[in-house]
Amino acid sequence: MFEKSLYDLIRGLRNHKGNEKEYIQTSLKECRSEIRSQDMDVKATALLKLVYLEMLGHDMSWASFHVLEVMSSQKYHQKRVGYLAAVQSFRPDTDVLMMATNLLKKDVAASLPIIISLPIGALPHIVTPSLAMSLLGDLLPRLGHSHAAIRKKTVVTLYRLALVYPEALRASWPKIKERLMDPEEDSSVTAAIVNVVCELGWRRPHDFLPLAPRLFELLVDGGNNWMAIKLIKLFATLTPLEPRLVRKLLPPLTNLIRTTPAMSLLYECINGIIQGGILGDGEDFSAREEVASLCVTKLRGMVSASSDPNLKYVALLAFNRIVVTHPFLVAQQEDVILECIDSEDITIRIKALDLVQGMVSSDNLVTIVSRLMRQLKASSTTLNQQQNGLEGQGLETDSSDEGSADSKRRRKALDRAPPLPDNYTVDVIGRILMMCTQNNYANIVDFDWYIDVISQLLRVAPAPRAKDLDGGLSPLKVPGDISEKIGNELRNVAVKVKAIRAVSVRAAELVVSRMGSEISLSQPVVSGALKPIAWVLGEYASQLLSPDDSLRYLLDIVPRIGDPEVLATCLQAVLKLFAHVSGDDQALWTSERKSTVSLLMARIIHVLEPFSSHPYLEVQERAVEFIELLKLTAEAAAGQATSTDEVQQDPPLLLTQAIPSLFAGWELNSVAAGTQQNVPVPDDLDLDEPIHPNLNSLLAQADSLMLPVQGDDEFEAYYNEKPPATSMSSEPAIKRLVDAPEEVSSSYQQSEESYLDSDIIARRKAERMERYRDDPFYIPDSTASGGRSTPIHNILQKENGPDLDIDSIPIMQLDLDKPNPQGRASPAQHQQQQLRPKSKPNQRIVVAADETLGGSGLSTPRTTTYDSEHSSEPSLAAKSRTAVAKKLKQHSLLQITSSHLSDLALGEEGAGQSGGGGPLAHERQQREEAEMAQALKEVQRLRLEMQRANERIQIAQGVPVEGVVVRKKKTTKKVVKADEGQREEGIRGGEGLPEGEGVKPKTKKKKKVRVEGQEGAGGGNGEPVVKAKKKVKKVVQLNEGEGAAAAAEGQ
Amino acid sequence: MINAFLVFNGQGQPRLTKFYTQLDTSIQQRLISEIFTLVSNRAPGSCNFLPLPPLLAASSTSNTSSSAQDQNDVPSFVTYRNYATLYFIIISTSTESPLALIDLIQVYVEALDRLFENVCELDLIFNYETLHATLGEMVVGGVVIETNMERIVAGVKAQGTVAKRPVNEGRGGGGLGAGLGAGLGMGGMVWPGTR
């Protein structure tokens, strides 16, 4: 059969455009058979093809044994393919690696440099601690190889060995150091060593201080810019330990800054000065001042608009580091940094945002946030345009009132910009919220503006992705629904800022009406914002403009909610709203009211009914409770005669007293996070005590009980007959009367927001408010407790309602496009103004602080932390995160941890400190290994002996069960599991204390095993040798690794 | 240190993947496609640094913030460079100098150009062993060992002759042949290289 070469494969791939998949599958099949060939050439070619396909994403882990075969080929070009395949395809779980050890040893010791290079280059990819241990001895002599290329590769490979097996570094460090110190050494070997030392340096800077003179020498006369960069990075970690270095370093660094033509070196010099703490405090003030200003001016030049984007980026990186130690230096550059927020380049934007976040004050908050809002806005409009084919004329005309030509140009550029990626949008929204909420809203002057920002954010927030999509790989960071965070903000403001509560509630109302009316009926509601917003509606129902409509919208939305937690909150809100809408005990119980209320209840019951068997218990419980409550109320309402002209009838008490009282009570205030934990547990509360001693039997009873269904029929009938029975002619009219104005105002608001940027809206609103303050037509809403109770409002509503309903759309558009130059308002606008509660901008607003419990060490301020993958500002927040993050010791993808190294002391003095002294540790380890092997053998022998003894005893006792257990144990000797051991122990325990010499150690052993399993290796203090051995053996079975230590101790 | 070195073309097809840690093939592919999405959405005139792709960002959140110390172990830069039809990507930790990485990619491409004499994407497709060999002369185990062009080229040549591109797949073949060398004009570099 004719085999394809790699060339044929690639050509074939290119000729099969469109059905590559099929082609690849056939090729893979061919490779599978070819790789089994006896002909090494065929095998190697097949492997090469597999490696190529692996690059394209086709797993080849099944071929790992063949990889080994090819690696061991005598021919260099085949061997090379084998090593390449090993590098590309071996994974931590590849088990053939153990077999490779000897091959690697052989190749490391080969005479041809190109062959030596293969294992040296491959080792960093495949190394494991045991492999490192066995190869260390072979690699060390390669540090003295005559070829520089081998020496430099060996240095790096030893470093990678040390990452998994720190002892490797201790053994190799003296030689590496010797290489580094040797002035005759090849320059690229020196450079490679410097690179390695730079990687090591930040972990253990102390160990490298003695090298400083040599490193300094290399920096000054090295003449290699690549190496200089690394040296400067290394020095930046050394200077904090040795302040005297600073004086030495300053002259060459400033010299480099002034003279070097390489921008990368220049940047690293500046960066080194910053990171090394060379800026700022200390003696010799004037010189440092000079350096500081030199650096900052250079950086400023890099950030400024005309600069190369790469320089912008790195300068922002540098600023991000300076801001930690010298915030004032960065604050001076606020203007150029702010410009970067609007950069077209997202990377630069994010870095700038990192900086800006720390620079927010009440003076610049609005500017910064509106810049960001504009971006989000522009991105979401482009998205919409792409989706709906709309063109952005509105935006162009709109920007005309935005004074300066510059910002106009920028805006236009942004309009054309591609839509921002979702995770960036989420990031920005998170940052906006964080900046605004900082220090309990300390930076916010105008809360009206903030509410507008929140409402706008809710619209631009990307829909949450399906959770399982992201949760699969990174369970650590479930991105969290950003819209829920925004919604939470609205709720927080509503709760905390009483003065502005009415506005917040209106905003919530609008959101719900938008959700209820805009999204098509079949579409599920996914926005997490609904949860907090529904809560606001329910809790502050009295401040709603139109509770009836909110209730109606909410009822429309409820069946479409997917998330059970949101659903549970919404159900609660529905009943709260109902209580408010129909619970008026002042109004008369007219027949009209009776029918309205009955209808409403029927509707609610209808909506809730499906949830009475909801799988989520919280939802189910609430639904069932509310349904029963409403059914009772409905019965009461049906039985209550209506008032006539002669007889006054009160509405049923259940409606006016009982239900509202469920939700009335103390005002709910915000509680600091963590305070809950500080609530002391009452002395008489025993949490371990079961609530009911006989819960199980109760549950069993409940299962067998048939629940009486009596009464249901009646309600069912009532509920079914309802629509025909109550279809009164008056009903629709009422509804329309109530609805119409609200719809107008909501759509009015919508259109304004969807065209305008929120900052402009905010400004307009503020202006309008100012304008109307002295307007004789403006009637201030002095009650401020919800528009509905205002007589004027009702009049207006009744009068304007039908008219506005008919031609509402033309009116509002007219209204929008013209910014109303005469300062006269159209009726709609006028009305809108009246509906708005009076609140002066810039008033002093009291923001309630979170409630805490005294001595709350646990509670942390809620608003200060914002986790972003990019945020690197080390603030208090970062510190508080540290604790959490340390607990979650999960490594990043691609990350190679060097943390083991931090425990390793280097150099002569290091070896002395570690107390090990004497022979090199890896030799010691080898000796220990041999000892362990011997110990294991001994243990095995004793174990067998004991088993035989045991058998004899059991036979003597004649317990068949025992016999079975023992036999089983004998056959599965190698794989006895810990729990099995315990089970056996249990059996044995039932049998009573066994007599006789042979059995006794056995039982003891079992117990010991359990202890061992929990405690790890412990001393075999004073026990007979046999028992100790036994114990050790058992541990080995439980855990190979620990067994080693234990066995060594047993010896 | 360098965590990964990737090359893919304008359609996101990988031409070279080198991860200095062991990663599942599927995760490698996901990472490549995430980076490709980021790279292909870059506005013209953007800088050569990418924000972290979601896969890296997600797993590094807990770590980035943990402490300044551990930060140095976490991949935190994605540097890329575009030559004709190809993108060269380096994922690295903060111990590398970002600007130097841009130059490192340049050195790599120049070395390839030297080896193939006017390199183009086709050369790289058909000789990906040479791609690996060249990279192996520059970076071992994520640490840069050589930046000198002559030595890199000599090192690769010592391993055997570099295959020429197949004759019948000449420059025009498949329309991918626009030489990378065009991007090697070098005048475009703002900073005279670190070499």
Side-chain angles (χ1 to χ4, degrees), chain A residues 452-485:
Chain A
D452 287 332
V453 166
I454 293 177
S455 329
Q456 176 72 34
L457 283 180
L458 275 174
R459 284 164 206 205
V460 296
R465 278 172 295 172
K467 271 179 188 161
D468 48 352
L469 232 166
D470 219 51
L473 214 121
S474 53
L476 240 187
K477 196 203 170 193
V478 181
D481 183 3
I482 191 71
S483 50
E484 182 172 349
K485 276 192 200 154

mmCIF file of all heavy atoms in Angstrom, chain A residues 452-485:
data_model
loop_
_atom_site.group_PDB
_atom_site.id
_atom_site.type_symbol
_atom_site.label_atom_id
_atom_site.label_comp_id
_atom_site.label_asym_id
_atom_site.label_seq_id
_atom_site.Cartn_x
_atom_site.Cartn_y
_atom_site.Cartn_z
ATOM 1 N N ASP A 452 -30.618 57.592 36.412
ATOM 2 C CA ASP A 452 -30.674 57.550 34.951
ATOM 3 C C ASP A 452 -29.575 56.667 34.400
ATOM 4 O O ASP A 452 -29.789 55.915 33.445
ATOM 5 C CB ASP A 452 -30.545 58.961 34.368
ATOM 6 C CG ASP A 452 -31.817 59.750 34.598
ATOM 7 O OD1 ASP A 452 -32.874 59.110 34.688
ATOM 8 O OD2 ASP A 452 -31.743 60.989 34.693
ATOM 9 N N VAL A 453 -28.407 56.780 34.988
ATOM 10 C CA VAL A 453 -27.293 55.931 34.540
ATOM 11 C C VAL A 453 -27.663 54.466 34.718
ATOM 12 O O VAL A 453 -27.471 53.640 33.821
ATOM 13 C CB VAL A 453 -26.009 56.258 35.339
ATOM 14 C CG1 VAL A 453 -24.960 55.170 35.137
ATOM 15 C CG2 VAL A 453 -25.455 57.599 34.914
ATOM 16 N N ILE A 454 -28.238 54.165 35.865
ATOM 17 C CA ILE A 454 -28.595 52.764 36.113
ATOM 18 C C ILE A 454 -29.615 52.284 35.082
ATOM 19 O O ILE A 454 -29.485 51.212 34.504
ATOM 20 C CB ILE A 454 -29.148 52.597 37.536
ATOM 21 C CG1 ILE A 454 -28.041 52.847 38.548
ATOM 22 C CG2 ILE A 454 -29.716 51.207 37.727
ATOM 23 C CD1 ILE A 454 -28.502 52.766 39.972
ATOM 24 N N SER A 455 -30.628 53.125 34.841
ATOM 25 C CA SER A 455 -31.650 52.697 33.887
ATOM 26 C C SER A 455 -31.030 52.471 32.518
ATOM 27 O O SER A 455 -31.380 51.537 31.807
ATOM 28 C CB SER A 455 -32.762 53.731 33.761
ATOM 29 O OG SER A 455 -32.955 54.409 34.954
ATOM 30 N N GLN A 456 -30.104 53.361 32.173
ATOM 31 C CA GLN A 456 -29.462 53.220 30.873
ATOM 32 C C GLN A 456 -28.612 51.950 30.821
ATOM 33 O O GLN A 456 -28.630 51.219 29.838
ATOM 34 C CB GLN A 456 -28.598 54.463 30.625
ATOM 35 C CG GLN A 456 -27.793 54.425 29.349
ATOM 36 C CD GLN A 456 -28.681 54.585 28.137
ATOM 37 O OE1 GLN A 456 -29.674 55.303 28.188
ATOM 38 N NE2 GLN A 456 -28.352 53.882 27.076
ATOM 39 N N LEU A 457 -27.912 51.697 31.903
ATOM 40 C CA LEU A 457 -27.060 50.509 31.953
ATOM 41 C C LEU A 457 -27.886 49.246 31.770
ATOM 42 O O LEU A 457 -27.479 48.309 31.100
ATOM 43 C CB LEU A 457 -26.315 50.440 33.285
ATOM 44 C CG LEU A 457 -25.124 51.363 33.449
ATOM 45 C CD1 LEU A 457 -24.505 51.181 34.818
ATOM 46 C CD2 LEU A 457 -24.087 51.073 32.374
ATOM 47 N N LEU A 458 -29.059 49.245 32.377
ATOM 48 C CA LEU A 458 -29.903 48.060 32.255
ATOM 49 C C LEU A 458 -30.204 47.760 30.800
ATOM 50 O O LEU A 458 -30.412 46.621 30.417
ATOM 51 C CB LEU A 458 -31.211 48.273 33.018
ATOM 52 C CG LEU A 458 -31.142 47.953 34.491
ATOM 53 C CD1 LEU A 458 -32.435 48.328 35.165
ATOM 54 C CD2 LEU A 458 -30.860 46.474 34.694
ATOM 55 N N ARG A 459 -30.267 48.809 30.008
ATOM 56 C CA ARG A 459 -30.585 48.581 28.602
ATOM 57 C C ARG A 459 -29.395 48.104 27.800
ATOM 58 O O ARG A 459 -29.560 47.329 26.865
ATOM 59 C CB ARG A 459 -31.107 49.881 27.992
ATOM 60 C CG ARG A 459 -32.523 50.091 28.442
ATOM 61 C CD ARG A 459 -32.953 51.491 28.215
ATOM 62 N NE ARG A 459 -33.996 51.768 29.196
ATOM 63 C CZ ARG A 459 -34.920 52.666 29.032
ATOM 64 N NH1 ARG A 459 -34.931 53.394 27.937
ATOM 65 N NH2 ARG A 459 -35.837 52.841 29.938
ATOM 66 N N VAL A 460 -28.228 48.577 28.135
ATOM 67 C CA VAL A 460 -27.069 48.177 27.335
ATOM 68 C C VAL A 460 -26.436 46.892 27.853
ATOM 69 O O VAL A 460 -25.599 46.315 27.190
ATOM 70 C CB VAL A 460 -25.989 49.280 27.287
ATOM 71 C CG1 VAL A 460 -26.525 50.496 26.589
ATOM 72 C CG2 VAL A 460 -25.483 49.616 28.660
ATOM 73 N N ALA A 461 -26.852 46.471 29.036
ATOM 74 C CA ALA A 461 -26.218 45.277 29.604
ATOM 75 C C ALA A 461 -26.475 44.086 28.693
ATOM 76 O O ALA A 461 -27.590 43.876 28.248
ATOM 77 C CB ALA A 461 -26.768 44.984 30.991
ATOM 78 N N PRO A 462 -25.447 43.334 28.406
ATOM 79 C CA PRO A 462 -25.646 42.148 27.573
ATOM 80 C C PRO A 462 -26.444 41.107 28.337
ATOM 81 O O PRO A 462 -26.330 41.009 29.562
ATOM 82 C CB PRO A 462 -24.216 41.655 27.310
ATOM 83 C CG PRO A 462 -23.401 42.217 28.395
ATOM 84 C CD PRO A 462 -24.057 43.492 28.847
ATOM 85 N N ALA A 463 -27.232 40.382 27.584
ATOM 86 C CA ALA A 463 -28.013 39.323 28.221
ATOM 87 C C ALA A 463 -27.060 38.291 28.798
ATOM 88 O O ALA A 463 -26.023 38.020 28.221
ATOM 89 C CB ALA A 463 -28.932 38.682 27.201
ATOM 90 N N PRO A 464 -27.401 37.758 29.932
ATOM 91 C CA PRO A 464 -26.508 36.761 30.529
ATOM 92 C C PRO A 464 -26.441 35.533 29.647
ATOM 93 O O PRO A 464 -27.428 35.125 29.044
ATOM 94 C CB PRO A 464 -27.186 36.439 31.857
ATOM 95 C CG PRO A 464 -28.600 36.809 31.667
ATOM 96 C CD PRO A 464 -28.619 37.942 30.699
ATOM 97 N N ARG A 465 -25.266 34.982 29.586
ATOM 98 C CA ARG A 465 -25.130 33.754 28.808
ATOM 99 C C ARG A 465 -25.633 32.585 29.631
ATOM 100 O O ARG A 465 -25.738 32.663 30.842
ATOM 101 C CB ARG A 465 -23.650 33.538 28.454
ATOM 102 C CG ARG A 465 -23.225 34.335 27.252
ATOM 103 C CD ARG A 465 -21.744 34.228 27.077
ATOM 104 N NE ARG A 465 -21.060 34.855 28.200
ATOM 105 C CZ ARG A 465 -19.764 34.774 28.382
ATOM 106 N NH1 ARG A 465 -19.028 34.090 27.561
ATOM 107 N NH2 ARG A 465 -19.191 35.386 29.390
ATOM 108 N N ALA A 466 -25.934 31.542 28.933
ATOM 109 C CA ALA A 466 -26.354 30.345 29.654
ATOM 110 C C ALA A 466 -25.249 29.953 30.618
ATOM 111 O O ALA A 466 -24.084 29.925 30.261
ATOM 112 C CB ALA A 466 -26.631 29.219 28.680
ATOM 113 N N LYS A 467 -25.640 29.664 31.835
ATOM 114 C CA LYS A 467 -24.627 29.485 32.863
ATOM 115 C C LYS A 467 -23.745 28.267 32.600
ATOM 116 O O LYS A 467 -22.552 28.294 32.809
ATOM 117 C CB LYS A 467 -25.285 29.360 34.240
ATOM 118 C CG LYS A 467 -25.468 30.724 34.889
ATOM 119 C CD LYS A 467 -26.140 30.606 36.219
ATOM 120 C CE LYS A 467 -26.485 32.000 36.743
ATOM 121 N NZ LYS A 467 -27.489 31.987 37.754
ATOM 122 N N ASP A 468 -24.351 27.226 32.112
ATOM 123 C CA ASP A 468 -23.562 25.996 31.940
ATOM 124 C C ASP A 468 -22.516 26.163 30.843
ATOM 125 O O ASP A 468 -21.528 25.451 30.817
ATOM 126 C CB ASP A 468 -24.467 24.813 31.630
ATOM 127 C CG ASP A 468 -25.459 25.114 30.538
ATOM 128 O OD1 ASP A 468 -25.538 26.306 30.134
ATOM 129 O OD2 ASP A 468 -26.132 24.203 30.077
ATOM 130 N N LEU A 469 -22.749 27.130 29.976
ATOM 131 C CA LEU A 469 -21.786 27.345 28.906
ATOM 132 C C LEU A 469 -20.425 27.720 29.469
ATOM 133 O O LEU A 469 -19.393 27.251 29.021
ATOM 134 C CB LEU A 469 -22.284 28.500 28.018
ATOM 135 C CG LEU A 469 -22.337 28.206 26.531
ATOM 136 C CD1 LEU A 469 -23.147 29.263 25.829
ATOM 137 C CD2 LEU A 469 -20.967 28.083 25.934
ATOM 138 N N ASP A 470 -20.499 28.573 30.461
ATOM 139 C CA ASP A 470 -19.225 29.070 30.988
ATOM 140 C C ASP A 470 -18.759 28.264 32.182
ATOM 141 O O ASP A 470 -17.583 28.188 32.458
ATOM 142 C CB ASP A 470 -19.401 30.540 31.389
ATOM 143 C CG ASP A 470 -18.188 31.346 31.031
ATOM 144 O OD1 ASP A 470 -17.757 31.253 29.858
ATOM 145 O OD2 ASP A 470 -17.652 32.011 31.915
ATOM 146 N N GLY A 471 -19.704 27.701 32.867
ATOM 147 C CA GLY A 471 -19.371 27.057 34.128
ATOM 148 C C GLY A 471 -18.549 25.789 33.947
ATOM 149 O O GLY A 471 -17.903 25.336 34.859
ATOM 150 N N GLY A 472 -18.602 25.256 32.760
ATOM 151 C CA GLY A 472 -17.946 23.979 32.526
ATOM 152 C C GLY A 472 -16.473 24.000 32.864
ATOM 153 O O GLY A 472 -15.993 23.169 33.612
ATOM 154 N N LEU A 473 -15.817 25.000 32.353
ATOM 155 C CA LEU A 473 -14.371 24.964 32.517
ATOM 156 C C LEU A 473 -13.869 25.780 33.684
ATOM 157 O O LEU A 473 -12.864 25.453 34.289
ATOM 158 C CB LEU A 473 -13.703 25.441 31.230
ATOM 159 C CG LEU A 473 -12.416 24.675 31.031
ATOM 160 C CD1 LEU A 473 -12.434 23.936 29.723
ATOM 161 C CD2 LEU A 473 -11.238 25.603 31.112
ATOM 162 N N SER A 474 -14.529 26.842 33.952
ATOM 163 C CA SER A 474 -14.030 27.702 35.020
ATOM 164 C C SER A 474 -15.097 27.844 36.096
ATOM 165 O O SER A 474 -15.771 28.848 36.171
ATOM 166 C CB SER A 474 -13.681 29.072 34.451
ATOM 167 O OG SER A 474 -14.788 29.563 33.746
ATOM 168 N N PRO A 475 -15.210 26.845 36.920
ATOM 169 C CA PRO A 475 -16.237 26.902 37.941
ATOM 170 C C PRO A 475 -15.943 27.990 38.966
ATOM 171 O O PRO A 475 -16.828 28.414 39.686
ATOM 172 C CB PRO A 475 -16.160 25.516 38.582
ATOM 173 C CG PRO A 475 -14.779 25.039 38.301
ATOM 174 C CD PRO A 475 -14.368 25.669 37.019
ATOM 175 N N LEU A 476 -14.713 28.440 38.966
ATOM 176 C CA LEU A 476 -14.343 29.451 39.956
ATOM 177 C C LEU A 476 -15.056 30.760 39.696
ATOM 178 O O LEU A 476 -15.609 31.379 40.584
ATOM 179 C CB LEU A 476 -12.829 29.686 39.881
ATOM 180 C CG LEU A 476 -12.077 29.402 41.164
ATOM 181 C CD1 LEU A 476 -10.652 29.816 41.023
ATOM 182 C CD2 LEU A 476 -12.738 30.043 42.341
ATOM 183 N N LYS A 477 -15.012 31.172 38.491
ATOM 184 C CA LYS A 477 -15.566 32.482 38.197
ATOM 185 C C LYS A 477 -16.821 32.344 37.372
ATOM 186 O O LYS A 477 -16.775 32.346 36.153
ATOM 187 C CB LYS A 477 -14.527 33.325 37.462
ATOM 188 C CG LYS A 477 -14.902 34.785 37.479
ATOM 189 C CD LYS A 477 -14.269 35.534 36.361
ATOM 190 C CE LYS A 477 -14.839 36.923 36.233
ATOM 191 N NZ LYS A 477 -14.457 37.525 34.991
ATOM 192 N N VAL A 478 -17.896 32.165 38.014
ATOM 193 C CA VAL A 478 -19.163 32.266 37.303
ATOM 194 C C VAL A 478 -19.400 33.764 37.143
ATOM 195 O O VAL A 478 -19.452 34.487 38.121
ATOM 196 C CB VAL A 478 -20.288 31.617 38.113
ATOM 197 C CG1 VAL A 478 -21.588 31.701 37.355
ATOM 198 C CG2 VAL A 478 -19.941 30.168 38.397
ATOM 199 N N PRO A 479 -19.473 34.213 35.915
ATOM 200 C CA PRO A 479 -19.391 35.649 35.692
ATOM 201 C C PRO A 479 -20.479 36.438 36.401
ATOM 202 O O PRO A 479 -20.314 37.620 36.624
ATOM 203 C CB PRO A 479 -19.534 35.774 34.175
ATOM 204 C CG PRO A 479 -20.068 34.478 33.706
ATOM 205 C CD PRO A 479 -19.639 33.457 34.684
ATOM 206 N N GLY A 480 -21.534 35.795 36.800
ATOM 207 C CA GLY A 480 -22.552 36.531 37.513
ATOM 208 C C GLY A 480 -23.273 37.443 36.554
ATOM 209 O O GLY A 480 -22.664 38.085 35.722
ATOM 210 N N ASP A 481 -24.544 37.464 36.677
ATOM 211 C CA ASP A 481 -25.323 38.244 35.741
ATOM 212 C C ASP A 481 -25.140 39.718 36.052
ATOM 213 O O ASP A 481 -25.477 40.181 37.132
ATOM 214 C CB ASP A 481 -26.782 37.829 35.872
ATOM 215 C CG ASP A 481 -27.634 38.553 34.882
ATOM 216 O OD1 ASP A 481 -27.075 39.314 34.085
ATOM 217 O OD2 ASP A 481 -28.852 38.356 34.924
ATOM 218 N N ILE A 482 -24.598 40.434 35.089
ATOM 219 C CA ILE A 482 -24.299 41.836 35.354
ATOM 220 C C ILE A 482 -25.582 42.631 35.527
ATOM 221 O O ILE A 482 -25.640 43.567 36.322
ATOM 222 C CB ILE A 482 -23.398 42.431 34.239
ATOM 223 C CG1 ILE A 482 -22.873 43.807 34.651
ATOM 224 C CG2 ILE A 482 -24.142 42.549 32.933
ATOM 225 C CD1 ILE A 482 -21.845 43.771 35.744
ATOM 226 N N SER A 483 -26.621 42.234 34.825
ATOM 227 C CA SER A 483 -27.851 43.019 34.960
ATOM 228 C C SER A 483 -28.416 42.873 36.372
ATOM 229 O O SER A 483 -29.063 43.787 36.875
ATOM 230 C CB SER A 483 -28.870 42.605 33.907
ATOM 231 O OG SER A 483 -29.026 41.227 33.889
ATOM 232 N N GLU A 484 -28.150 41.743 36.992
ATOM 233 C CA GLU A 484 -28.607 41.628 38.377
ATOM 234 C C GLU A 484 -27.861 42.611 39.266
ATOM 235 O O GLU A 484 -28.427 43.222 40.163
ATOM 236 C CB GLU A 484 -28.398 40.201 38.882
ATOM 237 C CG GLU A 484 -28.913 40.037 40.290
ATOM 238 C CD GLU A 484 -28.909 38.603 40.781
ATOM 239 O OE1 GLU A 484 -28.702 37.713 39.957
ATOM 240 O OE2 GLU A 484 -29.112 38.418 41.979
ATOM 241 N N LYS A 485 -26.576 42.776 38.984
ATOM 242 C CA LYS A 485 -25.803 43.742 39.767
ATOM 243 C C LYS A 485 -26.366 45.136 39.596
ATOM 244 O O LYS A 485 -26.456 45.908 40.548
ATOM 245 C CB LYS A 485 -24.342 43.723 39.312
ATOM 246 C CG LYS A 485 -23.525 42.642 39.954
ATOM 247 C CD LYS A 485 -22.049 42.897 39.681
ATOM 248 C CE LYS A 485 -21.245 41.627 39.877
ATOM 249 N NZ LYS A 485 -20.021 41.598 39.097
#
